[in-house]
C-alpha cells in the first residue's frame, strides 16, 4: 500500500527526544497522518532493521501564528514514539 519511506517522514530531534533515546531506547518520528501503528512499526523495522516493541502516536495540532495583519496556523502533523527492543539502536541518531 505505502512505501515505508512514505510513512516515516523525518526524525524529530529535540532535547526530550534525545533524552528518550539515551535513557529509554525510544525514537521519535514525524509520520504520515493516515498511518496506523502496525504500518509505522513495519516501516521502522524494514528501514532500520530493528525490532519494534511498541508504538505510541499522537496528532500535533498547528499553533496559531500571525504575520502583521494576516492570521493563520502552522501545519498539523502526526508524531510516533517507537520503543525498540533492548540492544537495538538506530544509527541515524548517533553522534
Amino acid at each position: 500500500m505505502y512505501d515505508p519511506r512514505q510513512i516515516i517522514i523525518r526524525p524529530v530531534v529535540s532535547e526530550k527526544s534525545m533524552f528518550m533515546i539515551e535513557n529509554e531506547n525510544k525514537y521519535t518520528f514525524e509520520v504520515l497522518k493516515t498511518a496506523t501503528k502496525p504500518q509505522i512499526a513495519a516501516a521502522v523495522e524494514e528501514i532500520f532493521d530493528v525490532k519494534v516493541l511498541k508504538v505510541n502516536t499522537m496528532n500535533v495540532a498547528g499553533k496559531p501564528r500571525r504575520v502583521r495583519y494576516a492570521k493563520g496556523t502552522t501545519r498539523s502533523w502526526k508524531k510516533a514514539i517507537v520503543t525498540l527492543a533492548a540492544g537495538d539502536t538506530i544509527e541515524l541518531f548517533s553522534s
Side-chain angles (χ1 to χ4, degrees):
M1 187 161 146
Y2 287 111
D3 180 52
R5 300 204 181 267
Q6 289 177 321
I7 294 174
I8 306 297
I9 297 173
R10 68 178 179 93
V12 176
V13 180
S14 65
E15 286 184 38
K16 185 175 181 178
S17 69
M18 298 310 285
F19 176 83
M20 288 174 29
I21 289 170
E22 293 170 5
N23 298 313
E24 302 171 17
N25 206 24
K26 293 182 179 181
Y27 292 81
T28 308
F29 298 97
E30 178 181 345
V31 296
L32 188 67
K33 276 187 138 183
T34 57
T36 61
K37 290 181 182 186
Q39 289 174 335
I40 295 167
V44 170
E45 287 179 350
E46 186 174 331
I47 293 171
F48 300 108
D49 193 32
V50 292
K51 175 70 176 145
V52 174
L53 297 180
K54 187 176 178 182
V55 177
N56 294 66
T57 60
M58 60 204 74
N59 290 309
V60 180
K63 296 181 180 177
R65 293 288 182 243
R66 194 182 85 162
V67 178
R68 288 198 176 210
Y69 308 110
K71 292 182 180 179
T73 60
T74 59
R75 65 186 183 85
S76 58
W77 52 288
K78 189 171 190 176
K79 177 166 52 172
I81 299 174
V82 179
T83 305
L84 301 183
D88 283 345
T89 59
I90 296 177
E91 294 303 318
L92 179 72
F93 290 95
S94 64
S95 47

